[in-house]
Amino acid sequence: DCIFCKIARGEIPTNKVFENEKVIAFKDLRPQAALHYLFIHKDHSKDLNDMMKINPTQASDILGAISSFTQKENLIKDGYRVVNNIGPHAGQTVFHTHFHVLAGEPLGHF
Ligand code: 5GP
Ligand code: ZN
């Protein structure tokens, strides 16, 4: 009953922007920037630490997908931000590992 597993299996309709054998990316429901995408592995893990225990290759699959996508969409021209939230202080709300990609406008520096 994981919502991102359902999205990955196509059981919930979503605004898909990228897909390969292992990774899928879609638009965030509540965008925090002009462009806001979520990249997930099709195989479930709770968070990045859980993923590294299960199979660290999955992290590489996702970062590779982000690299391909951002080059294809020319987001590398003006730049973008990759964010991974883990746990309550970071505000993680969905417990299927995901990487946010924020782009399309200047982002606040931190
Ligand atoms: P987190 O806060 O866990 O790092 O990020 C979860 C993100 O998932 C949030 O930005 C939220 O807007 C997004 N989100 C939650 N449920 C859905 C959904 O059903 N569809 C889409 N496209 N995004 C979702
Ligand atoms: Zn899942």
Side-chain angles (χ1 to χ4, degrees):
D1 49 282
C2 167
I3 187 154
F4 284 3
C5 280
K6 286 181 181 168
I7 286 175
R9 289 195 297 262
E11 292 168 16
I12 296 175
T14 191
N15 236 321
K16 198 193 304 177
V17 296
F18 175 94
E19 182 168 15
N20 67 18
E21 196 190 327
K22 292 170 176 168
V23 175
I24 183 167
F26 47 94
K27 291 184 181 173
D28 196 290
L29 207 58
R30 294 177 205 84
Q32 304 299 314
L35 302 174
H36 186 172
Y37 307 116
L38 299 173
F39 282 72
I40 65 170
H41 205 279
K42 291 179 180 178
D43 295 331
H44 181 86
S45 59
K46 292 194 289 287
D47 62 29
L48 186 55
N49 290 315
D50 188 37
M51 175 178 279
M52 296 314 271
K53 282 178 208 147
I54 293 169
N55 181 2
T57 303
Q58 293 178 6
S60 168
D61 292 336
I62 292 178
L63 294 175
I66 290 172
S67 182
S68 301
F69 176 80
T70 54
Q71 286 177 76
K72 182 168 172 290
E73 297 294 316
N74 206 25
L75 299 181
I76 55 170
K77 178 175 167 278
D78 292 321
Y80 58 94
R81 180 172 293 154
V82 180
V83 173
N84 174 249
N85 292 322
I86 301 181
H89 280 191
Q92 184 181 4
T93 57
V94 176
F95 293 87
H96 179 126
T97 311
H98 53 278
F99 286 77
H100 299 258
V101 171
L102 302 152
E105 63 183 332
L107 306 163
H109 189 62
F110 69 92

